[in-house]
Amino acid sequence: MEMFDLINKITHIPSVSGNEKTALPVIKEILSPYTDNVFCDNFGNIKAVFGKGGILLEAHIDKIGMIVTFAGENGFIKAAPIGSIDARILPAGNVKILAEKELYGVAASVPPHLASAEDSKTAKEVTDVNIDTGLSTEEAKKLICVGDRIMYDEKTVMLSEDELCSMYLDNSIGAAVIIRTVEILKEHGSLDNLTLCFTAQEEAGLRGAGAAVYGAENEKVICVDTSFASSPGVRPEKSGRMGAGPMIGFSPVLDSEMSRELKKLAEEKEIPYSVEVMGASTGTNADVISKSFSGFRTALVSVPIRNMHTPSEICDLNDIEDSAYLIAEYIMKGEKE
Amino acid sequence: MALLENVKKLSLCEGTSGNEKNVRDTIISLLPGNAEYTVDSLGNLLVSVKGKQRPAHKVMLCAHMDEVGFIVTYVGENGLLRFTPVGGISPQVICGKRVIFENGTVGVFGVVPVHQLRGDEKRQYPDYDNMYIDIGEKNRAEAYAKVKPGDTCVFLSDYVEFGTNKIKGKALDDRAGCAILLEIANRKLEYDTYFAFTVQEEVGTRGAGCAAFNIAPDYAVVVEATTAADIYGTEPDKQVCILGNGPAVSFMDRSTVYNPEIYKTAMKTAEEKKIPVQPKSFVAGGNDSGAVHKALGGIKTLSVSLPCRYLHSPSCVLDKNDIVNGEKFVAEIAEVFSRAD
């Protein structure tokens, strides 16, 4: 599948944390040329198993969003954030209310005559933002329930030949990388023993990661997520350049041998890469997986994106392809040894 | 209905203040066959349409063609653009939003990700001086091939019908007003009527004074969009006007003290013709009336505004019924003003 179409498909799945089962039919369909063995565990993590053992590739499939807490008059609702919503992007932003039927909404901005100097400088807390469904009071009562989820609502577009802009690149990219890895392995006749985990509730606090590896017979795990791309105001030591390939994680909590192997392999195969060095926690499911049950040797591969957690994240498609190739090469090398 | 189709068509046109050509061309294409028009030195589109009879008083209907947007001031080494807003745009509605240039280039207002900010910083809007537009190019040469200093862009925003009779789009201030003028122009008019589609309203009601001078009417009706603060939690006395309660008629705003007789006549006409209207119940904002009512030796001016939530953002929200009633009402009042006293 074309990478643009794959990303576009995944970003639109309404899998706000807790609602990951909506991803199951989509993942099943995408992986159907490769396996039928795609299922949901008790927590809501989605797994696809090829053969027995091998490497486990993990990417969280849940998304940040909001959850309706209150229905006011005239179609205005209030919501709490699920995960770290960037409050600055909400005013006048498009949202989709995941009620029984999907409904369009606008997050309100403070009107000029009511806006204090403070309102022009500081965004309201997410819980204080009115979301305008445009419905009458009666219609809103019929159509929306407290507890319904809300997600961003923006299109996927190519900004340039290489750069794509979309909502939810975190972590549609991770899912796309591990799916692409499967495609590459199949092309090379090397799709034998492999497990894919599309984990649930990462954004809510790495909640699904433990259950995801419960009973896993895989010795090594590679987590795939997004990380920070360099841009104005972002420190160079805390980011990677877009277009410069995957960011290979180095951290006390990751398996240093795997990190070094990935780096060496990238150099050998002339795959562009950078290293992302962290002092301890990586802020990803790798933190939980590595110390779950009897422990797993865990590596982290991240694709740099700009504007993380806004509806207009940006990535370089080459980085996604390079990440998939690096992981596929790593798996194939492992099988040879 | 052509009225609402035209609101959509015009919403999706691009035309910031001083750069209204695309909007003007689209409006010209939608004028009736019997319309005569000229374009004055500033770009105002001045239209006259013959009615069944000559009016006792010359009446001009006005709506502005320009929208708020952004103008590129600099193309950086890193391919990122510096810009300035054109018209009043609150920093509230910028972060993470998208823009589009005339040549189809899409850009994003980039931000430092929340994860890398601490405490209160996470909710601070950056200053315009510290913001940039990202068009997905990695260096100046590649960016320059697509966008140059002086190029303008507008919010990238779909036109959406949603909720109960609502629409969302960019630039409904004042493309909805333009659509109303077009609808009236296409009627079988009782009286010869004049229509001014003005320029540069958003940067200081600059076109309207010249349009008024060029047409020299006795009466003017400015058809606008105005801020509706009928949002949950706003005190009733601060709501200004309410979506669904009809077009809002102004008795005073920051640029005009409206002639009280004109205001009373307007409210009386609405009542007689059973068209829902509401007073704009807050003194705020200003519009082309500010320039028009002082032009020549003075012009008797009325301001009729569609209630609009989230004005000057990519997501203006209007009620369809207000637009329909707005058109009915402006057509009626134009006739009333055209007649002899």
Side-chain angles (χ1 to χ4, degrees):
Chain A
M1 192 189 263
E2 283 293 326
M3 186 51 69
F4 179 93
D5 296 323
L6 179 59
I7 297 271
N8 190 41
K9 213 180 189 108
I10 302 172
T11 62
H12 280 87
I13 303 172
S15 55
V16 175
S17 303
N19 218 15
E20 296 83 358
K21 69 179 189 312
T22 52
L24 182 58
V26 182
I27 302 287
K28 258 193 158 117
E29 194 218 319
I30 293 171
L31 291 177
S32 59
Y34 311 102
T35 181
D36 287 327
N37 195 5
V38 182
F39 57 95
C40 235
D41 71 11
N42 266 348
F43 189 87
N45 299 308
I46 296 169
K47 297 182 184 171
V49 183
F50 304 80
K52 217 168 151 49
I55 287 192
L56 191 151
L57 300 182
E58 182 274 337
H60 74 89
I61 197 74
D62 65 309
K63 307 174 148 83
I64 58 173
M66 292 176 277
I67 192 159
V68 178
T69 53
F70 177 77
E73 299 279 305
N74 290 328
F76 287 98
I77 59 182
K78 289 276 185 25
I82 299 181
S84 315
I85 291 282
D86 185 338
R88 301 167 300 174
I89 58 78
L90 277 182
N94 304 308
V95 297
K96 189 180 291 189
I97 296 122
L98 304 170
E100 191 140 349
K101 209 175 62 161
E102 288 181 355
L103 299 168
Y104 174 82
V106 178
S109 53
V110 181
H113 66 295
L114 295 177
S116 61
E118 193 52 33
D119 286 318
S120 303
K121 286 217 180 74
T122 309
K124 285 191 191 300
E125 298 276 9
V126 176
T127 46
D128 289 333
V129 175
N130 272 298
I131 293 169
D132 186 350
T133 65
L135 295 164
S136 63
T137 307
E138 303 72 37
E139 284 289 297
K141 253 201 193 91
K142 272 193 253 164
L143 297 173
I144 301 178
C145 297
V146 164
D148 285 343
R149 279 165 173 73
I150 299 174
M151 62 188 283
Y152 292 149
D153 183 11
E154 288 296 337
K155 291 196 165 66
T156 309
V157 298
M158 292 304 296
L159 295 180
S160 61
E161 207 179 305
D162 298 319
E163 293 189 21
L164 178 150
C165 174
S166 167
M167 56 177 182
Y168 298 123
L169 289 181
D170 176 8
N171 189 21
S172 305
I173 282 179
V177 167
I178 68 179
I179 289 166
R180 181 74 186 118
T181 305
V182 165
E183 284 176 5
I184 295 167
L185 290 170
K186 181 80 180 185
E187 279 163 28
H188 286 79
S190 290
L191 185 56
D192 302 312
N193 302 312
L194 184 68
T195 304
L196 303 187
C197 266
F198 299 90
T199 40
Q201 297 194 34
E202 187 273 351
E203 299 285 11
L206 316 178
R207 300 262 170 92
V213 293
Y214 180 61
E217 291 172 340
N218 318 82
E219 196 210 323
K220 290 183 184 178
V221 176
I222 301 180
C223 299
V224 188
D225 207 327
T226 52
S227 187
F228 309 107
S230 54
S231 68
V234 175
R235 302 182 72 92
E237 69 272 20
K238 293 193 176 176
S239 57
R241 277 188 309 117
M242 278 180 0
M247 296 163 71
I248 300 170
F250 278 76
S251 151
V253 314
L254 298 173
D255 186 291
S256 51
E257 195 182 310
M258 284 179 75
S259 303
R260 283 193 299 267
E261 283 171 350
L262 282 163
K263 181 169 181 273
K264 187 152 162 267
L265 188 59
E267 276 160 10
E268 232 173 83
K269 301 287 177 183
E270 293 183 344
I271 299 171
Y273 74 95
S274 64
V275 301
E276 182 182 18
V277 180
M278 295 155 282
S281 71
T282 64
T284 70
N285 278 337
D287 296 346
V288 167
I289 288 172
S290 50
K291 66 181 175 77
S292 285
F293 314 108
S294 54
F296 293 88
R297 298 181 60 196
T298 311
L300 174 65
V301 172
S302 304
V303 173
I305 65 172
R306 286 185 168 163
N307 313 322
M308 192 184 287
H309 283 198
T310 74
S312 297
E313 293 169 333
I314 300 174
C315 72
D316 187 313
L317 288 185
N318 296 308
D319 295 337
I320 300 177
E321 188 70 2
D322 288 338
S323 301
Y325 259 100
L326 178 59
I327 294 170
E329 292 285 357
Y330 186 81
I331 291 170
M332 291 191 285
K333 181 163 190 285
E335 274 160 16
K336 282 199 202 100
E337 286 160 5
Chain B
M1 189 186 193
L3 174 58
L4 295 172
E5 273 164 39
N6 287 340
V7 172
K8 175 176 181 175
K9 203 175 265 186
L10 292 171
S11 166
L12 296 171
C13 276
E14 186 193 330
T16 54
S17 309
N19 210 7
E20 297 89 350
K21 186 175 189 309
N22 288 335
V23 186
R24 187 170 49 239
D25 288 345
T26 303
I27 292 173
I28 289 171
S29 76
L30 296 167
L31 289 172
N34 63 339
E36 286 176 12
Y37 69 87
T38 56
V39 177
D40 72 14
S41 334
L42 290 189
N44 293 311
L45 173 62
L46 309 172
V47 180
S48 64
V49 180
K50 283 233 171 309
K52 289 201 199 116
Q53 44 176 317
R54 287 183 74 192
H57 309 123
K58 194 173 190 186
V59 174
M60 172 181 80
L61 307 183
C62 286
H64 68 90
M65 296 186 286
D66 58 315
E67 65 190 286
V68 297
F70 308 91
I71 190 164
V72 173
T73 53
Y74 184 75
V75 180
E77 285 292 345
N78 52 13
L80 302 175
L81 312 176
R82 293 291 190 190
F83 67 92
T84 288
V86 173
I89 305 181
S90 168
Q92 293 179 61
V93 301
I94 307 291
C95 293
K97 301 287 190 296
R98 303 181 191 183
V99 291
I100 186 159
F101 290 84
E102 207 176 334
N103 65 2
T105 299
V106 173
V108 175
F109 292 108
V111 291
V112 174
V114 272
H115 315 64
Q116 298 215 351
L117 299 170
R118 283 187 191 72
D120 281 340
E121 273 182 350
K122 288 180 195 270
R123 290 190 289 124
Q124 297 307 319
Y125 301 118
D127 287 331
Y128 281 121
D129 290 342
N130 292 324
M131 299 202 74
Y132 60 91
I133 294 173
D134 186 345
I135 56 171
E137 299 293 352
K138 296 185 170 71
N139 58 57
R140 170 178 280 156
E142 283 175 19
Y144 219 83
K146 289 154 74 174
V147 175
K148 297 178 175 45
D151 286 351
T152 58
C153 61
V154 296
F155 286 119
L156 175 59
S157 175
D158 284 346
Y159 181 88
V160 178
E161 295 185 23
F162 75 110
T164 312
N165 287 319
K166 305 287 191 302
I167 57 173
K168 172 266 329 183
K170 66 147 182 83
L172 295 181
D173 169 15
D174 184 23
R175 304 287 161 73
C178 292
I180 285 178
L181 260 60
L182 273 166
E183 189 76 5
I184 296 173
N186 276 282
R187 283 183 176 222
K188 282 191 175 50
L189 295 169
E190 185 61 33
Y191 299 100
D192 303 346
T193 312
Y194 297 81
F195 302 82
F197 296 91
T198 59
V199 299
Q200 299 181 36
E201 190 276 343
E202 299 289 8
V203 290
T205 68
R206 299 178 69 87
C210 300
F213 181 90
N214 290 330
I215 290 181
D218 303 302
Y219 288 80
V221 181
V222 172
V223 187
E224 256 284 17
T226 195
T227 185
D230 59 335
I231 298 165
Y232 185 79
T234 308
E235 318 244 328
D237 60 324
K238 302 241 171 10
Q239 290 185 359
V240 185
C241 54
I242 295 171
L243 261 62
N245 284 7
V249 181
S250 305
F251 47 81
M252 179 173 167
D253 58 39
R254 293 213 168 282
S255 59
T256 311
V257 176
Y258 295 89
N259 181 315
E261 275 158 35
I262 301 285
Y263 174 76
K264 284 203 182 87
T265 302
M267 299 305 271
K268 193 159 141 267
T269 304
E271 205 184 323
E272 280 167 9
K273 299 289 177 183
K274 297 191 174 24
I275 304 171
V277 302
Q278 57 187 310
K280 178 174 167 177
S281 64
F282 200 91
V283 175
N287 57 43
D288 277 342
S289 307
V292 168
H293 82 293
K294 297 185 299 194
L296 298 156
I299 296 172
K300 292 187 170 144
T301 308
L302 178 72
S303 178
V304 178
S305 304
L306 302 170
C308 178
R309 291 177 188 158
Y310 329 123
L311 208 65
H312 291 194
S313 85
S315 306
C316 301
V317 171
L318 266 60
D319 187 306
K320 287 183 199 173
N321 293 324
D322 292 340
I323 301 173
V324 171
N325 287 321
E327 191 270 345
K328 278 197 193 126
F329 176 64
V330 172
E332 286 292 343
I333 199 70
E335 265 191 37
V336 168
F337 290 155
S338 299
R339 288 197 274 268
D341 298 314

